[in-house]
Structures are given as C-alpha cells and as structure tokens.
Coordinates of all heavy atoms in Angstrom, one line a residue:
G212 N -16.5 -9.8 -4.5 CA -17.9 -10.1 -4.4 C -18.4 -11.2 -5.2 O -19.4 -11.9 -4.9
L213 N -17.7 -11.5 -6.3 CA -18.1 -12.6 -7.2 C -17.3 -13.9 -6.8 O -17.5 -14.9 -7.5 CB -17.8 -12.3 -8.7 CG -18.6 -11.1 -9.2 CD1 -18.0 -10.7 -10.6 CD2 -20.0 -11.5 -9.4
S214 N -16.6 -13.9 -5.7 CA -15.8 -15.0 -5.2 C -14.7 -15.4 -6.2 O -14.2 -16.6 -6.2 CB -16.7 -16.2 -4.9 OG -17.6 -15.9 -3.9
H215 N -14.2 -14.5 -7.0 CA -13.1 -14.7 -7.9 C -11.8 -14.1 -7.2 O -11.3 -13.1 -7.6 CB -13.3 -14.0 -9.3 CG -14.4 -14.6 -10.1 ND1 -14.4 -15.9 -10.6 CD2 -15.6 -14.1 -10.4 CE1 -15.5 -16.1 -11.2 NE2 -16.2 -15.0 -11.1
Y216 N -11.4 -14.8 -6.2 CA -10.4 -14.3 -5.3 C -9.0 -14.1 -5.9 O -8.3 -13.1 -5.7 CB -10.3 -15.1 -4.0 CG -11.6 -15.2 -3.3 CD1 -12.2 -16.4 -3.0 CD2 -12.3 -14.0 -3.0 CE1 -13.4 -16.5 -2.3 CE2 -13.5 -14.1 -2.3 CZ -14.1 -15.3 -2.0 OH -15.3 -15.4 -1.4
S217 N -8.6 -15.0 -6.8 CA -7.3 -14.9 -7.5 C -7.3 -13.6 -8.4 O -6.4 -12.9 -8.4 CB -7.0 -16.1 -8.4 OG -6.8 -17.2 -7.5
R218 N -8.4 -13.4 -9.1 CA -8.5 -12.2 -9.9 C -8.6 -10.9 -9.1 O -8.0 -9.9 -9.4 CB -9.8 -12.2 -10.8 CG -9.7 -13.3 -11.9 CD -10.9 -13.3 -12.7 NE -10.8 -14.3 -13.8 CZ -11.8 -14.6 -14.6 NH1 -13.0 -14.0 -14.5 NH2 -11.7 -15.5 -15.5
A219 N -9.2 -11.0 -7.9 CA -9.2 -9.9 -7.0 C -7.8 -9.6 -6.5 O -7.4 -8.4 -6.5 CB -10.1 -10.2 -5.8
A220 N -7.0 -10.6 -6.2 CA -5.6 -10.4 -5.8 C -4.8 -9.7 -6.9 O -4.0 -8.7 -6.6 CB -5.0 -11.7 -5.4
V221 N -5.0 -10.1 -8.1 CA -4.3 -9.4 -9.2 C -4.7 -7.9 -9.3 O -3.8 -7.1 -9.4 CB -4.6 -10.1 -10.6 CG1 -4.1 -9.3 -11.8 CG2 -4.0 -11.5 -10.6
S222 N -5.9 -7.6 -9.2 CA -6.4 -6.2 -9.2 C -5.9 -5.4 -8.0 O -5.4 -4.3 -8.2 CB -7.9 -6.1 -9.3 OG -8.4 -6.7 -10.5
F223 N -5.9 -6.0 -6.8 CA -5.4 -5.3 -5.7 C -3.9 -5.1 -5.8 O -3.4 -4.0 -5.4 CB -5.7 -6.1 -4.4 CG -7.2 -6.0 -3.9 CD1 -7.8 -7.2 -3.5 CD2 -7.9 -4.8 -3.9 CE1 -9.1 -7.1 -3.1 CE2 -9.2 -4.8 -3.5 CZ -9.8 -5.9 -3.1
N224 N -3.2 -6.0 -6.3 CA -1.8 -5.9 -6.6 C -1.5 -4.7 -7.5 O -0.5 -4.0 -7.3 CB -1.1 -7.2 -7.0 CG -0.6 -8.0 -5.9 OD1 0.0 -7.6 -5.0 ND2 -0.9 -9.3 -6.0
R225 N -2.2 -4.6 -8.6 CA -2.1 -3.5 -9.6 C -2.3 -2.2 -8.9 O -1.6 -1.2 -9.1 CB -3.0 -3.7 -10.8 CG -2.5 -4.8 -11.7 CD -3.4 -5.0 -12.8 NE -3.0 -6.1 -13.7 CZ -3.7 -6.7 -14.6 NH1 -4.9 -6.3 -14.8 NH2 -3.2 -7.7 -15.3
A226 N -3.4 -2.1 -8.1 CA -3.7 -0.9 -7.4 C -2.6 -0.6 -6.4 O -2.1 0.6 -6.3 CB -5.0 -1.1 -6.6
L227 N -2.0 -1.6 -5.7 CA -1.0 -1.3 -4.7 C 0.3 -0.8 -5.4 O 0.9 0.1 -4.9 CB -0.7 -2.6 -4.0 CG 0.5 -2.6 -3.0 CD1 0.3 -1.5 -1.9 CD2 0.7 -3.9 -2.4
R228 N 0.6 -1.4 -6.6 CA 1.8 -1.0 -7.3 C 1.7 0.5 -7.7 O 2.6 1.3 -7.5 CB 2.0 -1.8 -8.6 CG 3.2 -1.4 -9.4 CD 3.4 -2.2 -10.7 NE 2.1 -2.4 -11.4 CZ 1.6 -1.6 -12.3 NH1 2.2 -0.4 -12.5 NH2 0.5 -1.8 -12.9
L229 N 0.5 0.9 -8.2 CA 0.3 2.3 -8.5 C 0.3 3.2 -7.3 O 0.9 4.3 -7.4 CB -1.0 2.5 -9.3 CG -1.0 1.9 -10.7 CD1 -2.4 1.7 -11.2 CD2 -0.2 2.8 -11.6
M230 N -0.3 2.8 -6.2 CA -0.3 3.6 -5.0 C 1.1 3.8 -4.5 O 1.5 4.8 -3.9 CB -1.2 3.0 -3.9 CG -2.7 3.2 -4.2 SD -3.2 4.9 -4.3 CE -5.0 4.7 -4.4
T231 N 1.9 2.7 -4.6 CA 3.3 2.8 -4.2 C 4.1 3.8 -5.1 O 4.9 4.6 -4.6 CB 4.0 1.4 -4.2 OG1 3.2 0.6 -3.3 CG2 5.4 1.4 -3.7
E232 N 3.9 3.7 -6.4 CA 4.6 4.6 -7.3 C 4.3 6.0 -7.0 O 5.2 6.9 -7.2 CB 4.2 4.3 -8.8 CG 4.7 3.0 -9.3 CD 4.2 2.7 -10.7 OE1 3.5 3.5 -11.3 OE2 4.5 1.5 -11.2
I233 N 3.1 6.4 -6.6 CA 2.8 7.8 -6.4 C 2.9 8.1 -4.9 O 2.6 9.2 -4.5 CB 1.3 8.1 -6.8 CG1 0.3 7.3 -6.1 CG2 1.2 8.0 -8.3 CD1 -1.1 7.8 -6.4
N234 N 3.4 7.2 -4.1 CA 3.7 7.4 -2.7 C 2.5 7.9 -1.9 O 2.5 8.9 -1.3 CB 4.9 8.4 -2.5 CG 5.4 8.3 -1.1 OD1 5.4 7.3 -0.4 ND2 6.0 9.5 -0.6
N235 N 1.4 7.1 -2.0 CA 0.2 7.4 -1.3 C 0.0 6.3 -0.2 O -0.5 5.2 -0.4 CB -1.0 7.3 -2.3 CG -2.3 7.7 -1.6 OD1 -2.6 7.3 -0.6 ND2 -3.1 8.5 -2.4
P236 N 0.4 6.7 1.0 CA 0.4 5.7 2.1 C -1.0 5.2 2.5 O -1.2 4.0 2.7 CB 0.9 6.5 3.3 CG 1.7 7.6 2.8 CD 1.0 7.9 1.5
Y237 N -2.0 6.0 2.4 CA -3.4 5.6 2.7 C -3.8 4.6 1.6 O -4.4 3.5 1.9 CB -4.4 6.8 2.8 CG -5.8 6.3 2.9 CD1 -6.3 5.9 4.2 CD2 -6.7 6.3 1.8 CE1 -7.6 5.4 4.3 CE2 -8.0 5.9 2.0 CZ -8.4 5.4 3.2 OH -9.7 5.0 3.4
G238 N -3.6 4.9 0.4 CA -3.9 4.0 -0.7 C -3.2 2.7 -0.6 O -3.8 1.6 -0.8
Q239 N -2.0 2.7 -0.2 CA -1.2 1.5 0.0 C -1.8 0.6 1.1 O -2.0 -0.6 1.0 CB 0.2 1.8 0.3 CG 1.0 2.4 -0.8 CD 2.4 2.9 -0.4 OE1 3.1 2.1 0.2 NE2 2.7 4.1 -0.7
A240 N -2.2 1.3 2.2 CA -2.8 0.6 3.3 C -4.1 -0.1 2.9 O -4.3 -1.3 3.3 CB -3.1 1.6 4.5
I241 N -5.0 0.6 2.2 CA -6.3 -0.1 1.9 C -6.1 -1.2 0.8 O -6.8 -2.2 0.9 CB -7.3 0.9 1.4 CG1 -7.0 1.6 0.1 CG2 -7.7 1.9 2.5 CD1 -8.1 2.4 -0.5
C242 N -5.1 -1.0 0.0 CA -4.7 -2.1 -1.0 C -4.2 -3.3 -0.2 O -4.6 -4.5 -0.6 CB -3.8 -1.6 -2.0 SG -4.5 -0.4 -3.2
H243 N -3.3 -3.1 0.7 CA -2.8 -4.2 1.6 C -4.0 -4.9 2.3 O -4.0 -6.1 2.4 CB -1.8 -3.7 2.6 CG -0.4 -3.6 2.0 ND1 0.3 -4.6 1.6 CD2 0.3 -2.5 1.8 CE1 1.5 -4.2 1.2 NE2 1.5 -2.9 1.3
S244 N -4.9 -4.2 2.8 CA -6.1 -4.7 3.4 C -6.9 -5.7 2.5 O -7.2 -6.8 2.9 CB -7.0 -3.6 4.0 OG -8.1 -4.2 4.6
G245 N -7.1 -5.2 1.3 CA -7.9 -6.0 0.3 C -7.1 -7.2 0.0 O -7.6 -8.4 -0.1
L246 N -5.8 -7.1 -0.2 CA -4.9 -8.2 -0.5 C -4.9 -9.3 0.6 O -5.0 -10.5 0.4 CB -3.5 -7.8 -0.8 CG -3.2 -7.4 -2.2 CD1 -1.8 -6.8 -2.3 CD2 -3.2 -8.6 -3.1
G247 N -4.8 -8.8 1.8 CA -4.8 -9.7 3.0 C -6.1 -10.5 3.1 O -6.1 -11.7 3.3
N248 N -7.2 -9.8 2.8 CA -8.5 -10.4 2.8 C -8.6 -11.6 1.8 O -9.0 -12.7 2.2 CB -9.6 -9.4 2.6 CG -10.9 -10.0 2.7 OD1 -11.4 -10.6 1.8 ND2 -11.6 -9.7 3.8
V249 N -8.2 -11.3 0.6 CA -8.3 -12.4 -0.4 C -7.3 -13.5 -0.2 O -7.6 -14.6 -0.5 CB -8.3 -11.8 -1.9 CG1 -9.6 -11.0 -2.1 CG2 -7.1 -11.1 -2.2
Q250 N -6.1 -13.1 0.2 CA -5.1 -14.2 0.5 C -5.6 -15.1 1.6 O -5.4 -16.3 1.5 CB -3.7 -13.6 0.8 CG -3.1 -12.8 -0.3 CD -2.8 -13.7 -1.6 OE1 -2.9 -14.9 -1.5 NE2 -2.5 -13.0 -2.6
N251 N -6.3 -14.5 2.6 CA -6.8 -15.3 3.6 C -7.9 -16.3 3.1 O -7.9 -17.5 3.4 CB -7.5 -14.5 4.7 CG -8.0 -15.2 5.9 OD1 -7.3 -16.0 6.5 ND2 -9.3 -15.0 6.2
L252 N -8.8 -15.8 2.2 CA -9.8 -16.6 1.6 C -9.2 -17.7 0.6 O -9.9 -18.7 0.4 CB -10.8 -15.7 0.8 CG -11.6 -14.8 1.7 CD1 -12.4 -13.8 0.9 CD2 -12.6 -15.6 2.6
L253 N -8.0 -17.4 0.1 CA -7.4 -18.4 -0.7 C -6.5 -19.4 0.1 O -5.8 -20.2 -0.5 CB -6.5 -17.7 -1.8 CG -7.3 -16.9 -2.9 CD1 -6.3 -16.0 -3.7 CD2 -7.9 -17.9 -3.8

C-alpha cells in the first residue's frame, strides 16, 4: 500500500516460508498471490 514493493516481497516470502513449514496450503496460496502481485509491479 505504501508502494514499497521490494519490502513487500520480503515480507510475503517470510510469510510463505512459515506457511510452508507448517504445511498450510491456503496460507501458501495467498502468500504466492501477494508475491506474484508485487513481482509484477517490480
């Protein structure tokens, strides 16, 4: 929301790593969605 897309990607990656560690498929999916969005903007 602040247009800090690189920082957003770092946060989404951290969230994805944790969701993967706990094997939460829904959480992984929404993290991938956020990551895809910011990578597109970058």
